[in-house]
Amino acid sequence: MSLTSSVNLDWIKTTCAYCGVGCGIEAKAEEVSPGGEIIVKVRGDEDHPANFGRLCSKGLALGETAISDGRLLKPSINNVDCTWDQALDHVADKFKNIIAEHGPDAVAFYVSGQLLTEDYYIANKLMKGFIGSANIDTNSRLCMSSSVAGHKRAFGSDTVPNVYTDFELSDLVILVGSNLAWCHPVLFQRLKEAKAQRPEMKVVMVDPRATDTCAIADLHLKLQPGTDVALFNGLLVELAEKNCLDSTYIDSFTEGFESALTSARNEFSSQQARSEALGIPLNDLQQFYDWVCATEKTLTVYSQGVNQSSAGVDKVNAIINTHFATGRIGKPGCGPFSITGQPNAMGGREVGGLANTLAAHLEFNDETAYKIVSEFWQTDRLAQKPGLRAVELFDAIDEGKVKAVWVMATNPVVSLPNANKVISALQKCELVVVSDCIEHTDTAEYAHVKLPAQGWSEKSGTVTNSERRISRQRNILPPKGEAKPDWWIMSEVGKRLGFESAFSYNNEAEIFQEHAQLTAFKNNGSRDLNLAGLSSLNLEKYNQLSPVQWPCDSQEKIAEQNTDSAPIRLFSEGGFFTPSGRGQFIAVEQKAPKTKTSKEYPLVLNTGRIRDQWHTMTRTGLASRLGAHKPEPFLSIHPQSAESINAKKGDIIEITSRCGSALARVNITTDVSPTQVFMPIHWTNMTSSAGRVGVVVTPEYDDISGQPEAKFTPVNIKKHDVNAEAMVVSRDDLDLPSSIYWARQTINNGYLYYLATQDSPQQLKQIIDTALPQEADVNKLQFNDSGSNGGSRFARIRAEQILDCAIVAESLAEQDYSWLGELLSSKPDIEAKRSILSGTPSGRLATGKLICACKQIGVKTIQSAIESKNLSTVKEVSLATTAGTGCGTCMSEIEQILKETLSA
Ligand SMILES: Nc1nc2c(c(=O)[nH]1)N[C@H]1C(S)=C(S)[C@@H](COP(=O)(O)OP(=O)(O)OC[C@H]3O[C@@H](n4cnc5c(=O)[nH]c(N)nc54)[C@H](O)[C@@H]3O)O[C@H]1N2
Ligand SMILES: Nc1nc2c(c(=O)[nH]1)N[C@H]1C(S)=C(S)[C@@H](COP(=O)(O)OP(=O)(O)OC[C@H]3O[C@@H](n4cnc5c(=O)[nH]c(N)nc54)[C@H](O)[C@@H]3O)O[C@H]1N2
Ligand code: SF4
Ligand SMILES: [Mo]
């Protein structure tokens, strides 16, 4: 593709495609050479109040993912390419027929916090307003729904009262179930910098597992999984006992304090008993409680360790109770702060994308709300009752009750619990439509209709971040292939379903304006979400919109925000949206997770994220520099667990629950306790043979929110028999037999495969030979390792290129082979050949495992700098090697390497 004169070559302000921090980015299209490939350059936006110029490794690598590789470029029906008209007619006809025969509840949308607000608004309007069913649910059900439900119980609305500057202003930050260092890296950096400036500031981490976030924690409470309610109930008791209550706040603005306190008191006979149940030493528990009692500016930041639990909503309310009790809410530096995961989790909540919300913070079972929305949308078909929530929805598909599902911007075959059941449901479903920007995803495999959506850098609209700040995402590049905006695709189907006038939009600005108008419609202060100040933005103003926080009910208020950028906090003086106008304490009690461990399933599986990958890797998986940090699916287990199954470094482990099994490389570490194991969520059928952890995860969920218990599945583990292993670099996908364990990492110009099998090394070599593409005119370089029972190393070389290369042995655990990842972009010179034949990196290939993804610095470079230059601080290492000078998230690893190298 060549740049046309219509493409803007200036730096354009936009927002990151990934997490809910919502960092501002400046991006720019650039031709590598005249008429050549276009790349997108990315830098942090210094004016954006979320990040003030900072970015993390994922944000910095966005340019590398804005490429044509792997993109879904054309619509198709049953895997045959077709025109947009054919695809849209087909979807509309099928929906129409199914609705005519079985009613509107026989169809469903399953959408995502990665849609823009404009897309999300259209999805909600079409399903709830015009198809007349509330069967639209979203992956935010798996992510934020416990927080939403907790907020509604306490505040009467789904409101996040805080702002990011609270991270800097707080004196005590409690991180609950949040791996901030890896999952919200820019907030982590802000917190870290604040703590460096004010060392008296305290950070407490509440997580059963040790993570990189520990690096800034003064105290780590390694609680038993699922026991957060008991921890915060204990705090409430302590606050009462130590006279640390704010009775003015309690009396003036809240209700239900006494019963919440009674419930917390009755839970345990003493704090000693509580500490035993929590698995936290009494001293640590007391230290934590003392700090909270003594610190006015206490900020509780929480994420999936809280939400993804069958007691998720109770956990949220147990936290909020403690802030109500102390009046520490809505004031600088304090409050209960739920941080969102996806870039537009908040926007989705605002339009009402969850199956149990009507629209724009208006709820079902409320006649006034019903009238407001019907009147505004001019519809008499508005859904009457809440729809099915994610897990229930896929169960209903499995049972044949829902016959058509349209999946947009999410990959449920990977991300839903009991994920093999999702496959069986999709296989039975009469119509599966998938809108995605990527051609091959685990879910798209089961689609009858595939619709190419515009992705980041092409699409245009708005997102809302964790601090209620609305920012524009702007297009930088022309769309790839025939990709269209999601809102356009749905509107076209809406028109074809007979709702012409309701879905005739010329651009996304018109949709945003309508959404803003609905939030303001007959609002009169009755709803927190009010975008009246934005409800008359025309296209030009919309295009110029700078980041703005809601509520923004007048243009004057927006102008004020722009002049002194005064952040908006809520609830410091009540003003709740409950029927009584008072904040509600909720009496909660510790409940055990729904599925119990047993003799057969003695360990608890915890799942979560890694630093450099985003979810199912459809996009971060495209950037080679993001693949190197953790290249394979892994299972973290404690040394005692390893001993119990006789596992050692490099082994492959099979992990099994009542739902299913997965395979992963073992990571033996005291970061997890002896009764727990941890596995990341990112690997799929596209990137591994059996690394999809969702297959193992229990489908139990919180009854109130419907959010699955993704952090607690009883499992057992055993060693997977392996007689031979191989690493293969290949320019193409390898088609491997199903008996082989494999995982695939993207490298420059191809893939690095990790293989393991019960076959012999010789048999494995044959399998690799068959899987590699036939090539003519190649020179073969081969070394047969007589010491390794049929092991070998070989490469095929043509002209100045290494085509592929493999190392086969009984075991590869003893050495680091990450240097193989460099081969497809290196010349077949003497250093490369020597490395291949000897199986040991030499020369420039010897920099070791990647530590700093931004600056591409390997472990060996860091180690040798420490040794040769006598470095003794992380800062010195950074200066000497540039490692850690990009996003800085690798600093704690650098520190670890420094410690290890110095002690060695
Ligand atoms: N690199 C990266 N960043 C991301 C994402 C990504 O895919 N990759 N995804 C984004 C999204 S959508 C989300 S939702 C966020 C999630 O961000 P986080 O919630 O920070 O991430 P997780 O790794 O899911 O889980 C957080 C922690 O909860 C802990 N935990 C498990 N059980 C319990 C418990 O019972 N109590 C407590 N207190 N803690 C527990 C886990 O050990 C884990 O360390 O990250 C966002 N940012
Ligand atoms: N066991 C376990 N399971 C979990 C979690 C966990 O911690 N443990 N976390 C849960 C959480 S918090 C989340 S948020 C989910 C995330 O899980 P998913 O939402 O399933 O993961 P993604 O890989 O982000 O899927 C997004 C898809 O949308 C596509 N896409 C990107 N942009 C666009 C766009 O603009 N339009 C369209 N149409 N498509 C687009 C991407 O290519 C990708 O295929 O996983 C959940 N599942
Ligand atoms: S912290 Fe990283 S992933 Fe999150 S928005 Fe900022 S740059 Fe993007
Ligand atoms: Mo999420």
Side-chain angles (χ1 to χ4, degrees):
M1 180 173 49
S2 162
L3 271 187
T4 62
S5 52
S6 64
V7 176
N8 189 340
L9 295 178
D10 298 332
W11 285 98
I12 295 172
K13 282 186 191 290
T14 182
T15 339
C16 178
Y18 299 118
C19 84
V21 179
C23 293
I25 278 185
E26 291 179 327
K28 180 183 189 315
E30 215 171 78
E31 265 175 355
V32 179
S33 56
E37 197 195 347
I38 303 176
I39 55 162
V40 179
K41 287 197 146 179
V42 161
R43 66 185 185 203
D45 178 357
E46 291 183 357
D47 299 329
H48 199 290
N51 56 319
F52 298 106
R54 302 171 186 88
L55 290 180
C56 78
S57 54
K58 295 185 300 302
L60 279 168
L62 263 170
E64 286 156 54
T65 65
I67 52 175
S68 307
D69 296 11
R71 283 293 296 268
L72 179 60
L73 299 172
K74 278 176 177 295
S76 67
I77 303 173
N78 296 322
N79 290 321
V80 179
D81 288 352
C82 63
T83 64
W84 267 111
D85 269 330
Q86 287 166 329
L88 297 165
D89 287 346
H90 182 84
V91 173
D93 285 349
K94 286 287 244 179
F95 263 76
K96 228 187 258 171
N97 294 342
I98 291 171
I99 294 166
E101 197 176 335
H102 305 282
D105 288 335
V107 300
F109 292 169
Y110 184 56
V111 303
S112 153
Q114 290 167 75
L115 291 175
L116 301 172
T117 300
E118 294 72 6
D119 305 324
Y120 231 133
Y121 177 83
I122 296 297
N124 196 51
K125 180 179 179 185
L126 178 55
M127 185 51 86
K128 291 189 186 132
F130 289 83
I131 290 177
S133 166
N135 279 347
I136 166 172
D137 209 35
T138 140
N139 63 0
S140 289
R141 182 70 60 195
L142 321 178
C143 180
M144 302 314 304
S145 60
S146 293
S147 279
V148 173
H151 288 158
K152 286 188 191 171
R153 287 208 297 191
F155 309 146
S157 59
D158 177 19
T159 314
V160 174
N162 290 86
V163 295
Y164 291 157
T165 42
D166 292 328
F167 276 86
E168 278 103 11
L169 298 173
S170 179
D171 294 324
L172 171 61
V173 178
I174 311 166
L175 299 170
V176 194
S178 154
N179 184 7
L180 202 72
W182 281 8
C183 297
H184 297 91
V186 164
L187 290 181
F188 180 77
Q189 287 172 41
R190 286 179 65 163
L191 181 58
K192 196 174 167 186
E193 284 160 29
K195 193 164 157 49
Q197 287 192 354
R198 288 192 300 119
E200 66 279 13
M201 174 194 227
K202 296 271 182 302
V203 175
V204 177
M205 210 183 108
V206 182
D207 194 316
R209 184 172 70 108
T211 66
D212 271 21
T213 305
C214 289
I216 57 164
D218 298 281
L219 180 63
H220 177 192
L221 303 178
K222 256 190 173 184
L223 81 179
Q224 285 297 321
T227 58
D228 304 71
V229 169
L231 178 69
F232 284 90
N233 269 348
L235 177 58
L236 189 66
V237 173
E238 190 77 9
L239 288 164
E241 234 105 273
K242 300 278 162 70
N243 286 326
C244 296
L245 302 174
D246 180 342
S247 25
T248 313
Y249 192 91
I250 297 174
D251 296 343
S252 318
F253 305 125
T254 69
E255 279 169 353
F257 171 68
E258 284 305 329
S259 67
L261 181 61
T262 308
S263 177
R265 277 199 172 124
N266 290 345
E267 214 177 33
F268 293 97
S269 54
S270 66
Q271 295 297 54
Q272 172 68 41
R274 196 181 291 277
S275 100
E276 280 161 23
L278 288 167
I280 301 172
L282 186 60
N283 279 347
D284 287 354
L285 189 63
Q286 199 55 54
Q287 174 71 88
F288 168 56
Y289 289 163
D290 288 348
W291 280 346
V292 181
C293 284
T295 316
E296 186 55 30
K297 290 188 175 173
T298 295
L299 183 71
T300 313
V301 175
Y302 60 94
S303 187
Q304 297 314 339
V306 168
N307 293 336
Q308 287 172 340
S309 159
S310 54
V313 186
D314 285 352
K315 289 185 181 186
V316 170
N317 288 111
I319 291 170
I320 295 174
N321 284 347
T322 64
H323 285 273
F324 277 167
T326 49
R328 294 172 187 164
I329 183 167
K331 300 170 195 154
C334 55
F337 199 166
S338 149
I339 42 172
T340 49
Q342 297 176 91
N344 202 27
M346 291 287 264
R349 286 150 65 171
E350 287 153 26
V351 304
L354 288 159
N356 55 318
T357 310
L358 195 51
H361 285 202
L362 290 154
E363 301 295 332
F364 283 102
N365 304 321
D366 171 348
E367 215 169 303
T368 317
Y370 199 83
K371 281 194 189 136
I372 290 177
V373 180
S374 300
E375 184 185 336
F376 184 81
W377 280 343
Q378 306 242 313
T379 181
D380 52 9
R381 311 169 69 99
L382 190 63
Q384 307 265 353
K385 57 175 195 323
L388 296 166
R389 303 177 296 185
V391 175
E392 301 159 337
L393 171 61
F394 281 82
D395 284 348
I397 298 172
D398 197 55
E399 289 157 18
K401 291 179 188 151
V402 168
K403 295 168 193 303
V405 64
W406 186 349
V407 179
M408 299 170 220
T410 176
N411 197 356
V413 166
V414 185
S415 53
L416 273 176
N418 198 7
N420 278 347
K421 186 169 180 191
V422 175
I423 294 183
S424 104
L426 292 179
Q427 280 171 331
K428 290 179 202 164
C429 191
E430 203 175 313
L431 177 69
V432 178
V433 184
V434 170
S435 301
D436 207 292
C437 8
I438 300 296
E439 185 177 10
H440 296 292
T441 71
D442 288 36
T443 304
E445 291 294 286
Y446 301 94
H448 303 107
V449 182
K450 289 192 228 172
L451 304 174
Q454 292 178 3
W456 183 88
S457 80
E458 299 153 22
K459 61 183 185 178
S460 158
T462 55
V463 290
T464 310
N465 71 6
S466 296
E467 59 164 1
R468 288 172 279 102
R469 196 178 296 277
I470 299 170
S471 298
R472 286 279 280 110
Q473 240 185 54
R474 296 187 171 87
N475 51 327
I476 319 294
L477 296 179
K480 303 271 187 300
E482 295 176 26
K484 295 284 189 189
D486 288 288
W487 66 261
W488 181 90
I489 305 174
M490 287 179 275
S491 299
E492 287 301 311
V493 170
K495 288 183 205 165
R496 284 165 170 80
L497 288 173
F499 313 120
E500 181 76 32
S501 64
F503 292 95
S504 293
Y505 299 98
N506 294 306
N507 52 54
E508 56 277 14
E510 291 178 0
I511 304 171
F512 184 82
Q513 199 180 68
E514 185 180 309
H515 159 60
Q517 284 165 357
L518 173 55
T519 65
F521 189 59
K522 304 201 169 169
N523 186 320
N524 304 320
S526 62
R527 276 126 54 200
D528 60 338
L529 177 70
N530 189 339
L531 310 182
L534 299 170
S535 62
S536 55
L537 288 187
N538 58 19
L539 181 60
E540 192 191 342
K541 291 255 171 61
Y542 174 82
N543 282 338
Q544 293 161 354
L545 184 68
S546 16
V548 53
Q549 267 186 313
W550 68 259
C552 45
D553 44 11
S554 70
Q555 290 182 351
E556 291 70 47
K557 285 203 184 147
I558 295 173
E560 271 170 40
Q561 278 189 38
N562 288 339
T563 46
D564 34 290
S565 62
I568 306 168
R569 298 182 180 83
L570 291 106
F571 308 139
S572 64
E573 297 191 359
F576 295 100
F577 295 87
T578 50
S580 64
R582 285 172 172 267
Q584 301 294 307
F585 278 93
I586 307 289
V588 288
E589 248 178 68
Q590 180 60 44
K591 286 189 291 232
K594 280 197 185 166
T595 340
K596 312 271 176 284
T597 51
S598 63
K599 225 172 148 189
E600 196 183 348
Y601 302 104
L603 299 170
V604 174
L605 168 67
N606 174 8
T607 58
R609 293 154 170 80
I610 62 170
R611 190 188 76 191
D612 288 349
Q613 295 295 354
W614 177 261
H615 297 165
T616 71
M617 283 199 227
T618 61
R619 291 169 293 154
T620 43
L622 298 169
S624 56
R625 69 165 138 160
L626 296 180
H629 181 239
K630 303 273 180 201
E632 254 185 302
F634 64 88
L635 182 76
S636 297
I637 66 175
H638 189 273
Q640 280 175 28
S641 308
E643 209 184 297
S644 73
I645 57 163
N646 198 17
K648 51 182 194 326
K649 184 178 172 226
D651 281 343
I652 291 168
I653 306 291
E654 182 174 341
I655 168 169
T656 304
S657 73
R658 296 177 181 99
C659 297
S661 302
L663 293 176
R665 192 74 69 172
V666 74
N667 168 36
I668 303 170
T669 167
T670 51
D671 287 352
V672 293
S673 86
T675 52
Q676 295 157 33
V677 301
F678 173 84
M679 188 161 160
I681 59 173
H682 307 287
W683 277 269
T684 67
N685 290 344
M686 303 292 137
T687 48
S688 68
S689 55
R692 202 159 44 102
V693 74
V695 172
V696 183
V697 174
T698 174
E700 295 292 349
Y701 51 76
D702 182 302
D703 291 329
I704 304 167
S705 68
Q707 178 152 358
E709 184 142 62
K711 303 276 188 260
F712 196 104
T713 303
V715 294
N716 62 47
I717 54 173
K718 69 170 200 245
K719 217 167 102 169
H720 183 66
D721 288 337
V722 169
N723 295 320
E725 289 193 86
M727 299 203 46
V728 183
V729 277
S730 164
R731 288 176 190 265
D732 291 300
D733 274 357
L734 297 185
D735 192 7
L736 292 159
S738 61
S739 60
I740 298 252
Y741 164 93
W742 63 266
R744 187 186 88 178
Q745 173 198 342
T746 299
I747 56 174
N748 288 330
N749 303 321
Y751 303 108
L752 176 55
Y753 276 86
Y754 299 72
L755 310 186
T757 173
Q758 293 171 8
D759 302 315
S760 70
Q762 265 156 340
Q763 287 165 320
L764 180 56
K765 164 137 193 332
Q766 275 164 16
I767 290 169
I768 296 167
D769 280 337
T770 320
L772 287 172
Q774 299 294 317
E775 298 280 358
D777 305 325
V778 295
N779 286 320
K780 204 157 178 192
L781 201 65
Q782 178 156 339
F783 175 81
N784 294 327
D785 189 351
S786 54
S788 166
N789 190 23
S792 58
R793 301 186 272 277
F794 63 91
R796 295 192 297 176
I797 294 169
R798 186 166 56 206
E800 281 301 276
Q801 264 193 349
I802 299 172
L803 292 180
D804 34 49
C805 165
I807 295 190
V808 187
E810 282 179 295
S811 163
L812 295 174
E814 291 310 312
Q815 271 206 47
D816 172 15
Y817 289 102
S818 54
W819 54 273
L820 287 168
E822 302 302 315
L823 288 183
L824 297 186
S825 44
S826 21
K827 294 257 175 289
D829 57 12
I830 188 74
E831 274 178 3
K833 287 180 181 165
R834 187 186 295 148
S835 304
I836 295 166
L837 289 175
S838 67
T840 314
S842 86
R844 76 198 135 73
L845 292 169
T847 64
K849 180 175 169 290
L850 190 72
I851 299 297
C852 174
C854 306
K855 300 288 168 182
Q856 294 282 291
I857 308 293
V859 64
K860 299 235 170 82
T861 310
I862 297 174
Q863 283 163 340
S864 68
I866 297 170
E867 283 161 5
S868 66
K869 297 182 182 152
N870 280 328
L871 309 176
S872 59
T873 65
V874 176
K875 210 168 174 181
E876 286 171 3
V877 177
S878 250
L879 275 175
T881 61
T882 72
T885 57
C887 74
T889 6
C890 59
M891 286 304 218
S892 46
E893 274 183 88
I894 297 176
E895 196 170 350
Q896 191 62 32
I897 297 166
L898 182 68
K899 271 190 211 149
E900 283 166 11
T901 317
L902 292 179
S903 65

